[in-house]
Every structure is written in structure tokens, then in C-alpha cells.
Amino acid sequence: MPYAAHLLAAASLVLEMHGDEDEAIGALLHDVVEDGGGSAALARIEEAFGPAVAGIVLDNSDSVDEGDRKGPWWERKQAYVAAFADKSPAALRVCLADKLHNARSILLDYRAHGDVFWARFKQGQGIATRIYYRELALAFERERERMGDPAQPFIDELRRVVDGITALAEERQGPDQRALFLG
């Protein structure tokens, strides 16, 4: 699937949650800083689209200027989830759109390709990714009230998709460890 499809899907989901233009633009640009643009890209985004969009993009980045020296994946994901309480409702909606589209793609690809699919994540049988997505679903459920009524069905949909990924993995691999992500 072309990567642009993910960006367009995230922007579409944000708009379906009644997000505004800044949120839609933030969804289109949500990976720019993290995936190699760093602080220079963030400055260009702020110049072109304003501080609200730049803030949304920054809040949806788990690293800014580390480049190839990004911290360990697990630590970055733990910090990302832990920061939910400090994110704006707009940034949370963009994050939800991103994670929901990613989770849907994971479930579809896992159904189509089986356990070999997890090799894409370079984490064995995908337990870390599954735990991360379960923790994301919990974090969105905790922030539910701040995200507005139109976001509620999307929070519920993320839970259903994440539960579907877990159920499929447990059917194919046996029960997941129920380790706490942030604990």
C-alpha cells in the first residue's frame, strides 16, 4: 500500500471525528518530524501552517532530532503513551486516527499473511507490538472525555480491532503474556 494512503486515511478519520483543518493537516504531517525531518522540519511546518499544526505534529512524534540514534523502541513507546495526559484533544484525535488506521492494517495483514507478518516489526512473534496497542487502547479510553463525543466510536473501534489482533494471535500462538506495559 502506498504510504500516502495511510496519511490520507488518518486525515479522513480526523475529519470524521469532527476535527478541524489544523488537525487534518497535522494528520497528513504526523510522521514528518519523527521519520527524519527533525526540528528543521518542525520549524518549516510551523512557518507554513502555524503553531497549532506544529504542536499536533510534535505531540505525535516519539523523537525529534535523534535520527538514527533513536532510543530503544520500547522506551520511546512507553514515553509516548505516558504523555497522553499532557496532549491536547486535537493531538489525541490525530494520534487516534493514526493508531486506528495502523491497527486496522495490522489486523488485515495478520489475517492475510499469518505469523510471518510479525517479521516486519523485527520483534519475534509480535508480542511487544500487541502489548503496545493494548496500552494505546487503554490510554485512549482514559482520555475519552477530553476527545469529544464524535471521537467515541473511534475509541471503541480501536478497542475492537486491538482485541481482534490479540484474539487472532492467541489462536495462532497461544496466550499472550499479560505483562503491564507501563508497570
Side-chain angles (χ1 to χ4, degrees):
M1 172 187 320
Y3 183 66
H6 170 64
L7 301 176
L8 293 169
S12 176
L13 289 168
V14 164
L15 293 170
E16 290 177 40
M17 287 184 252
H18 300 190
D20 63 18
E21 183 178 311
D22 285 344
E23 291 172 49
I25 295 168
L28 289 169
L29 300 172
H30 75 271
D31 280 335
V32 170
V33 171
E34 178 179 321
D35 287 349
S39 59
L42 186 62
R44 287 192 302 277
I45 289 168
E46 185 166 359
E47 182 180 318
F49 301 105
V53 172
I56 289 168
V57 172
L58 181 61
D59 281 350
N60 280 281
S61 302
D62 68 12
S63 62
V64 176
D65 273 328
E66 297 178 43
D68 292 335
R69 300 174 322 215
K70 288 182 180 180
W73 180 87
W74 191 250
E75 290 174 16
R76 289 185 291 118
K77 300 309 177 189
Q78 284 179 308
Y80 186 80
V81 171
F84 268 43
D86 298 324
K87 291 181 190 289
S88 69
L92 286 169
R93 284 187 291 271
V94 170
C95 181
L96 176 58
D98 172 35
K99 301 312 181 194
L100 177 55
H101 188 258
N102 285 342
R104 286 174 173 170
S105 297
I106 288 170
L107 183 56
L108 288 171
D109 286 351
Y110 190 26
R111 283 180 178 150
H113 303 291
D115 286 329
V116 298
F117 161 76
W118 295 114
R120 294 181 193 173
F121 295 89
K122 299 177 184 158
Q123 297 172 351
Q125 292 298 305
I127 184 69
T129 299
R130 293 193 302 274
I131 291 171
Y132 173 55
Y133 273 85
R134 287 196 293 262
E135 291 301 321
L136 285 166
L138 286 170
F140 285 116
E141 290 165 350
R142 284 191 299 269
E143 300 301 326
R144 178 181 291 277
E145 297 304 315
R146 294 193 315 118
M147 295 177 66
D149 289 341
Q152 303 311 305
F154 297 89
I155 295 168
D156 297 338
E157 176 68 9
L158 179 64
R159 168 55 64 198
R160 284 189 296 273
V161 173
V162 168
D163 288 350
I165 294 167
T166 299
L168 185 58
E170 289 183 346
E171 176 184 308
R172 292 179 177 188
Q173 299 176 10
D176 277 351
Q177 298 174 9
R178 297 291 182 184
L180 290 176
F181 181 72
L182 298 174

